[in-house]
Amino acid sequence: AQSVSQHNHHVILSEAASLELGCNYSYGGTVNLFWYVQYPGQHLQLLLKYFSGDPLVKGIKGFEAEFIKSKFSFNLRKPSVQWSDTAEYFCAVNSNSGYALNFGKGTSLLVTP
Amino acid sequence: DAGVTQSPTHLIKTRGQQVTLRCSPISGHKSVSWYQQVLGQGPQFIFQYYEKEERGRGNFPDRFSARQFPNYSSELNVNALLLGDSALYLCASSLAPEGVGETQYFGPGTRLLVL
């Protein structure tokens, strides 16, 4: 069955610390990969996406993610987090033959001053 | 440009009642998808509509139905509400349902509480 796993459900970091959030998926065939963010009181926003080409993709607000096909992973990274990065982060996957996004359970990030 | 809009923002219903949620996509977007987000979980796919036709359905009971109008807006209907239907219902729009690179843009959601 197709699935998306996010390893960390709750992460607490101090400002300026580095961030890496794990995402693994179980899908057959070609996949499209996304990271969405939900800031407190706001709607889901796209951080970055990967469809093809360079497996290292850069998104908004200094975030980046690396697609490692052999590991079925798409981990999100940021070298130095800010208090404003406090939010819920969701990894999502769909296939080229499908349209529905399959989301992970999310990771709640709290950045302390 | 206006993003995806949804109404109402909040709703309280009792078990057994019926509810209708509404969504207006981004201008020019012809595809609308509905997701259910239960507290502490990621969104789960319910439906996708494109050009007024259902293109996909998630693992939800027949109590859930939807439709898309000629102006590409959409309604999600849920009949015979259960306590477990309490959730944030998200609408997402995209230019088209398929194709590499298609991104779905989400609205703020309708929070439904079933008592």
Side-chain angles (χ1 to χ4, degrees):
Chain A
Q2 299 171 337
S3 65
V4 180
S5 298
Q6 292 184 240
H7 314 302
N8 315 99
H9 296 296
H10 298 278
V11 174
I12 301 175
L13 294 173
S14 300
E15 276 193 315
S18 64
L19 170 72
E20 180 160 3
L21 302 182
C23 174
N24 285 91
Y25 62 92
S26 173
Y27 259 75
T30 304
V31 294
N32 306 308
L33 301 155
F34 306 80
W35 275 96
Y36 281 86
V37 61
Q38 194 167 30
Y39 297 105
Q42 297 187 28
H43 60 274
L44 274 170
Q45 301 172 38
L46 182 68
L47 264 182
L48 48 78
K49 60 186 179 183
Y50 171 82
F51 299 121
S52 63
D54 189 344
L56 184 62
V57 292
K58 296 191 183 298
I60 60 172
K61 305 188 180 186
F63 286 91
E64 64 179 29
E66 184 175 13
F67 170 52
I68 302 179
K69 188 174 182 179
S70 61
K71 295 185 177 180
F72 299 92
S73 69
F74 190 55
N75 292 351
L76 181 70
R77 300 194 292 246
K78 186 171 184 179
S80 177
V81 295
Q82 303 172 318
W83 175 80
S84 58
D85 292 325
T86 294
E88 191 88 16
Y89 292 82
F90 294 95
C91 179
V93 181
N94 68 3
S95 67
N96 279 357
S97 60
Y99 28 76
L101 284 171
N102 191 353
F103 283 85
K105 291 187 176 181
T107 296
S108 177
L109 172 65
L110 174 63
V111 180
T112 60
Chain B
D1 286 340
V4 177
T5 58
Q6 293 185 242
S7 63
T9 55
H10 295 80
L11 207 50
I12 300 175
K13 293 285 188 178
T14 56
R15 282 177 296 176
Q17 285 189 312
Q18 174 264 341
V19 68
T20 298
L21 311 181
R22 296 175 176 81
C23 171
S24 292
I26 292 172
S27 178
H29 285 192
K30 298 182 178 180
S31 179
V32 169
S33 298
W34 288 94
Y35 292 80
Q36 181 196 64
Q37 186 178 13
V38 173
L39 200 62
Q41 302 289 320
Q44 279 205 302
F45 172 72
I46 309 175
F47 284 111
Q48 186 177 67
Y49 276 77
Y50 177 65
E51 292 284 14
K52 295 167 286 182
E53 289 190 3
E54 181 182 307
R55 297 296 293 267
R57 183 185 183 116
N59 190 23
F60 280 80
D62 291 344
R63 298 185 296 108
F64 288 76
S65 64
R67 55 179 176 167
Q68 187 176 32
F69 299 98
N71 66 354
Y72 304 109
S73 66
S74 177
E75 285 183 351
L76 175 70
N77 294 285
V78 187
N79 295 322
L81 284 167
L82 303 174
L83 295 179
D85 295 331
S86 296
L88 180 67
Y89 288 85
L90 298 169
C91 175
S93 77
S94 58
L95 286 168
E98 293 163 4
V100 176
E102 203 55 62
T103 297
Q104 295 186 28
Y105 296 88
F106 285 82
T110 293
R111 189 163 297 281
L112 172 65
L113 177 61
V114 182
L115 301 176

